[in-house]
Amino acid sequence: MPDAAEDPAEPDPETGGEASGVAPGVFSRYGVVSALLGVFCAAAVGVLALIWSHHHGEVAERTRQTDAMQAAADWTGVLVNMNKDNVETSLQKLRDGTVGQLNADFEASVQPYRDIVRTLQSQTTGQIESVAVENVHHDLDALPGTSNPPSELPAGMASRTDTVLVVASSVSRNAGGQPQTVHWNLRLDVSDVDGRLLVSRLESIR
């Protein structure tokens, strides 16, 4: 007798479902694994993006602080290398690198340093010994009562201010006299004003 026709509804021995495919509502083990793998990949991408964002932020912050320290060192370098031959040129360069009240009161602010130069009447060579960021002030127009110290700049004028400590020394040589060493310990506020780094506060510290 001829073989009976194959019943289309007979279970498929490979899948356990009907011959036409997997029973509705039932996931194969491969489907579950694929779904889990997709979830894992999405989570991994999220973590990597978070790590990259954090690292990028840290790099950008270090770059901004380095730029502020360099600006403070450059400004101080002009100050400690002032001598009787370049005092007026140096003072103009220093003034051009200031902003706010320090710029407005520049003559009074630098008077002690100018007096040293004029008194010594000598050739002076200065060098920067160390530079460090003391702290950073963000959001200079923050509401009263926040932890940010008050700024000497009008609110919103600077996007950021870094307080930088600079230690320097200068050696002055008078004709026929002994070299005199002057030690400089300065605290400077370096403010970002429209992309320019300018000194907004100058303080001599012990």
Side-chain angles (χ1 to χ4, degrees):
M1 294 178 63
D3 294 334
E6 184 177 348
D7 185 352
E10 184 179 347
D12 190 323
E14 293 294 329
T15 64
E18 294 182 355
S20 59
V22 180
V26 178
F27 287 101
S28 71
R29 59 183 179 180
Y30 302 109
V32 173
V33 171
S34 297
L36 291 176
L37 184 60
V39 172
F40 174 79
C41 290
V45 169
V47 171
L48 289 175
L50 184 63
I51 293 174
W52 181 89
S53 177
H54 180 70
H55 174 72
H56 181 72
E58 287 186 337
V59 171
E61 177 66 16
R62 285 196 296 269
T63 298
R64 287 190 289 265
Q65 291 188 2
T66 299
D67 290 344
M69 288 189 292
Q70 185 63 58
D74 291 344
W75 195 89
T76 303
V78 175
L79 180 66
V80 301
N81 281 283
M82 275 198 308
N83 57 61
K84 62 183 182 66
D85 296 325
N86 67 11
V87 60
E88 296 305 326
T89 302
S90 296
L91 287 173
Q92 185 59 51
K93 186 179 293 186
L94 291 171
R95 184 166 197 162
D96 291 343
T98 62
V99 68
Q101 197 62 40
L102 176 59
N103 183 271
D105 298 335
F106 184 78
E107 294 297 327
S109 299
V110 300
Q111 187 65 42
Y113 309 108
R114 188 194 338 231
D115 290 345
I116 291 175
V117 172
R118 289 178 173 172
T119 299
L120 292 176
Q121 284 290 305
S122 61
Q123 294 296 324
T124 301
T125 302
Q127 65 178 6
I128 305 299
E129 296 180 356
S130 67
V131 185
V133 172
E134 183 178 40
N135 51 46
V136 181
H137 317 316
H138 296 281
D139 302 323
L140 301 182
D141 54 346
L143 295 175
T146 61
S147 59
N148 290 337
S151 170
E152 296 188 8
L153 296 178
M157 184 175 184
S159 60
R160 169 192 178 100
T161 293
D162 296 75
T163 299
V164 182
L165 302 178
V166 181
V167 176
S169 63
S170 58
V171 178
S172 300
R173 294 177 174 82
N174 291 307
Q178 292 294 325
Q180 300 183 52
T181 301
V182 179
H183 297 284
W184 308 76
N185 298 291
L186 305 176
R187 177 182 286 118
L188 301 91
D189 277 0
V190 179
S191 298
D192 186 334
V193 180
D194 296 329
R196 295 184 63 201
L197 295 178
L198 302 172
V199 178
S200 57
R201 184 169 66 98
L202 171 65
E203 179 185 355
S204 181
I205 57 178
R206 295 182 180 277

